[in-house]
Each structure stands twice: as C-alpha cells, then as structure tokens.
Amino acid sequence: MPSQPLVYYFGGTGGGVWKTVDGGLTWEPVSDDTEMAGSIGAIAAAASDPNVVYVGTGEHCPRGNVSPGNGMWKSTDAGKTWRRAGLPQAGQVGAVVVHPRDEDLVYVAALGHIFGPNEERGVYRSKDGGATWERILYRDENTGSVDLVMDPSNPRILYAAFWQVRRMPHALESGGPGSGMFKSTDAGDTWTEISDNEGLPEGPLGRIGIAVSPANPDRVWEMVAAEQGGLFRSEDAGATWRRVNSDRSLRQRAWYYTHVYADPASENTVYVLNVGFHKSVDGGES
C-alpha cells in the first residue's frame, strides 16, 4: 500500500490470506480462524483507508484441482477480523478494485463457478462497502470476468476482461464468443466492447490480462490467449492496438497465467508472469 510500503497481503490457492508488516521477511496467517474459503482469488486494500481490506475468494487459475470460493470478505481493522461481504455465488473471483478516494466504492470481477453454468458471473459494483451489490456488466452463464483494472489517473475509467471457460475433471474448454474486453468511462455505468478494435486478434479469444501504465495512462497492455495472441499494446487508451510480442514463453499455459503488470514509474517497463517471470524495459518488445 502506498501509505504503508512494508505491508502486503497474500492470498494462496489453498492457504487463505497472509499478511506481512516487514516487507515479506515474516508472514502471519490472518484468515485461519474464519469461515473464509482457503482458495483466494484477489485481494485489495483501500488506499484511502488501509484498515479496509477486501478479499475475493476462489482462485481464478483453474487447474484440475481448483478449489471454489465462498464470496467476498471484508476487514476494517487491517486483517485482524473478517466478515462476509456478499456475492456468495461469485465462484472464482478474478479481481477486486477499490476506488482510490472512497473505500466503500469497490468493483469485483466474478469468473463464476468453474465446473458449470452460473448466472452470477460478470462485473459487480458496491457503493456501500460490500453491503449491497449491483451487476454492471454481464455476458452469459458460461462467461465470467477474469480481470478488471482501473486507470490510475482517472477512477472513472475501467477495463474488464471476460473469459468463456469450463473446467472438467478430464479437460478444460477455454475460449469462445463470450470472451472479450470492455471499457467504461463513467465508473461502470455503461460499457463499450473493444475486443474488435484495430490491431487485436480475431477470435475465438481465450483468457485475457490487462494493465494500464500509471506513468502514461494512454498506454495499455493486454495479454491475449488466441491463435494469433501474445502481448498487445495500445497508445491511445484502447482505441487501437499493436502486437508487440508473440513469444510463446509469455503465453504458455495460458489458463494458469496470462498476468501482465505495468511498472508504476516507467511507461516502458512491463512485467509478464507465466511459467517464468519476465521483464521488459522497451514497452514489451523484448
């Protein structure tokens, strides 16, 4: 957290929520004495009040032994105690985003139940700290939201990635007409699909990861699982795109990874997490 640079929270695929106050030297489990699911999909601490922490349960990297979640949880005392915060049927949570100046305004990307159809998929918004939720973007019962990011310079701008996916004991079906990318410029009230914008690959699309550069919010990265997929970059906030890297090492095992993160200070530095940990200092070119 910006105001507490040595404080981090970590969510395990089967180990619950952990916290460090010394920059990772030591860790303490903070959810073991609750009914929170041990499978954690996303965590977000509020920049406006670091005591407020939201946890979305249910890992969103669906291996064959994927564990389900049991909705959203919230702490108002920096992880000492937790209470349920709605969305019990969200299944697997792909991302949690909190408004930088309002700890009660929170967004959730719900991938849904991974083993079957689930109406509770999509992007949700709460304006009262998780007491109530409204679904603000939905595709269908087989497609959920796997990533959600907010423009660091303008919290009214949001990007959401949707993934049509079904896990079975013997296989995984990834991709389809439901997968795609959306953008909102009014805090989630309305959305525009940008999956077909110039430069992006033709479908079917699989899993998608998104990152906005805090150093230059017009620069947006997108990791796309597709036949002609790879790392794509936009210089005009998603209006047009160019594939800057198709290296297979960045997009192997796409179901389990497809994570991209922008450096907070350098617009040319970007990180891709896959089987290996990759860093680029030339905008993703190498």
Side-chain angles (χ1 to χ4, degrees):
M1 292 180 291
S3 62
Q4 298 178 355
L6 297 182
V7 176
Y8 291 85
Y9 294 89
F10 165 79
T13 59
V17 178
W18 297 69
K19 180 181 179 180
T20 178
V21 295
D22 54 17
L25 292 176
T26 60
W27 291 86
E28 174 189 8
V30 294
S31 65
D32 284 0
D33 60 351
T34 74
E35 295 181 349
M36 186 188 304
S39 175
I40 307 301
I43 302 176
S48 57
D49 183 350
N51 291 305
V52 176
V53 184
Y54 294 91
V55 171
T57 59
E59 58 177 302
H60 56 95
C61 299
R63 292 184 61 89
N65 58 350
V66 62
S67 299
N70 61 353
M72 291 294 298
W73 291 74
K74 179 182 180 181
S75 174
T76 55
D77 53 15
K80 293 184 178 66
T81 61
W82 299 88
R83 64 170 177 81
R84 293 180 183 269
L87 303 183
Q89 299 301 320
Q92 322 296 130
V93 172
V96 178
V97 177
V98 184
H99 191 285
R101 296 183 298 277
D102 182 359
E103 62 272 14
D104 288 330
L105 179 52
V106 57
Y107 300 84
V108 168
L111 186 58
H113 292 298
I114 204 69
F115 285 97
N118 177 211
E119 277 294 329
E120 289 78 9
R121 303 176 188 268
V123 176
Y124 288 83
R125 177 177 63 191
S126 175
K127 296 180 179 179
D128 53 16
T132 60
W133 295 88
E134 58 178 326
R135 188 169 61 186
I136 55 177
L137 185 60
Y138 175 72
R139 290 291 262 178
D140 57 57
E141 65 180 9
N142 299 306
T143 307
S145 183
V146 70
D147 202 5
L148 179 68
V149 297
M150 180 180 285
D151 184 328
S153 69
N154 185 350
R156 294 177 60 82
I157 298 177
L158 298 157
Y159 298 86
F162 274 68
W163 185 22
Q164 183 175 326
V165 62
R166 177 69 51 80
R167 178 87 251 185
M168 294 162 285
H170 59 283
L172 184 140
E173 296 177 352
S174 174
S179 298
M181 186 175 175
F182 295 79
K183 180 180 180 179
S184 174
T185 59
D186 55 12
D189 289 338
T190 61
W191 295 83
T192 300
E193 184 168 6
I194 59 175
S195 310
D196 297 326
N197 285 14
E198 178 185 339
L200 289 174
E202 296 182 359
L205 304 177
R207 182 167 182 159
I208 300 169
I210 318 166
V212 180
S213 171
N216 175 10
D218 285 334
R219 174 167 283 190
V220 184
W221 281 278
E222 186 177 46
M223 278 297 306
V224 184
E227 184 65 29
Q228 298 299 319
L231 179 63
F232 292 77
R233 190 178 74 211
S234 174
E235 306 292 356
D236 49 18
T240 60
W241 299 82
R242 179 172 70 90
R243 185 166 73 167
V244 295
N245 204 301
S246 60
D247 189 338
R248 285 286 177 180
S249 67
L250 300 182
R251 54 192 179 114
Q252 61 181 317
R253 301 183 74 82
W255 308 335
Y256 309 147
Y257 298 105
T258 314
H259 305 301
V260 56
Y261 296 94
D263 188 275
S266 168
E267 67 176 275
N268 289 315
T269 302
V270 61
Y271 301 87
V272 171
L273 279 64
N274 206 287
V275 175
F277 180 34
H278 304 267
K279 176 183 179 180
S280 172
V281 295
D282 57 8
E285 303 280 352
S286 61

